[in-house]
Structures are given as C-alpha cells and as structure tokens.
Amino acid sequence: MKVLYNIFIISFSVFLALTIFLWATKPNIHKEEKKISKVVENVTTNEDVKNLKAKYPDIYGKIYFYSLPNINYPVVMAENPKTYLYSDLDKRYNGMGVPFVYPKKEESSDFKVVYAHAFTSKKPYMFTDLYKLLDIDFYNKDPFFYIKTENSNKKYLVV
C-alpha cells in the first residue's frame, strides 16, 4: 500500500510541476493580441492610416467588421508572407502575428485574401469571431468586412 501511495505522490508531483511549467512558459496570447489591436484603436480616418504607415511602413490599413467588433486590427502587406506570421509590427516575436495581405503585387486589386490566426476556443483570439459567420442568419445580416487604407475605404464580401 505504501508503494502505491508513493507512486501516486510522485505522479501527482510530476503532473503538477509539468502543469506549472506549461502555464508559466506559454506566451500570453491575449496580451499579444491586445498589443496589436491597440495600434489601430484610434484610427478613424485615412490620414490616421497614413500617419501609422510612417511609423510602420508595411501597414496596408485597418481591417474591421461592423458585425464583429472584436475584429479591429492593422493589416500589413510585405514581400515575404512569413514576415508577420509570428511577428508584431516591430518584427519581434508575437504568437498571434499580424493579419497580412499577400501577395504585395495585389495591392490595387479589388480581391483580397487576408491571412491571420483564428483559434477555436472559449476565449476569442484574433479572428475566432469569424466562426459566427457560419450561422447563415448572422452572415445574412452583415457579410462584409472593411479595410481603411491611407487612400480609401474598401468594403469586401466575406466568401
């Protein structure tokens, strides 16, 4: 019986240590996400985007949805699609990355593919709210997203 008790104590201790280690070392995804979102928090005009682009040259604009207010982020456009996959606007590691449009040569196109992370979770991460658009009634109310650039305000249909 003492052997079973010792095995239990050792197993529980290893489990607890592993749990604490994983919790302490995982990146704080929500903190990273808020840092990215904060960049465009006060962007309301095309001039605001232009000023932001002076600080971050790869900024293409700001993406937002009226029906999904949690989605409000800068969008970048870079030559290499991996540049912002796991980097912030200062090109430092960020597990959420920054939404980006690729390829850059499509800048003037009316068709945009925006790449970003979306995780299924109880807590929404970045573009997780897009899953709400799978509900046809929700989608039919407002199936559009918008990108405000330094030169225009574009409206796109989610497909």
Side-chain angles (χ1 to χ4, degrees), residues 110-130:
D110 286 334
F111 178 78
K112 293 284 181 265
V113 176
V114 179
Y115 298 89
H117 294 281
F119 301 102
T120 55
S121 164
K122 289 182 182 175
K123 283 184 160 183
Y125 292 102
M126 203 165 264
F127 281 73
T128 303
D129 277 358
L130 285 178

Side-chain angles (χ1 to χ4, degrees), residues 29 32-33 35-36 85-88 92-97:
I29 299 294
E32 293 173 355
E33 178 184 9
K35 180 182 172 190
I36 294 167
L85 192 58
Y86 293 105
S87 298
D88 64 14
R92 289 180 288 206
Y93 177 79
N94 181 319
M96 292 307 294

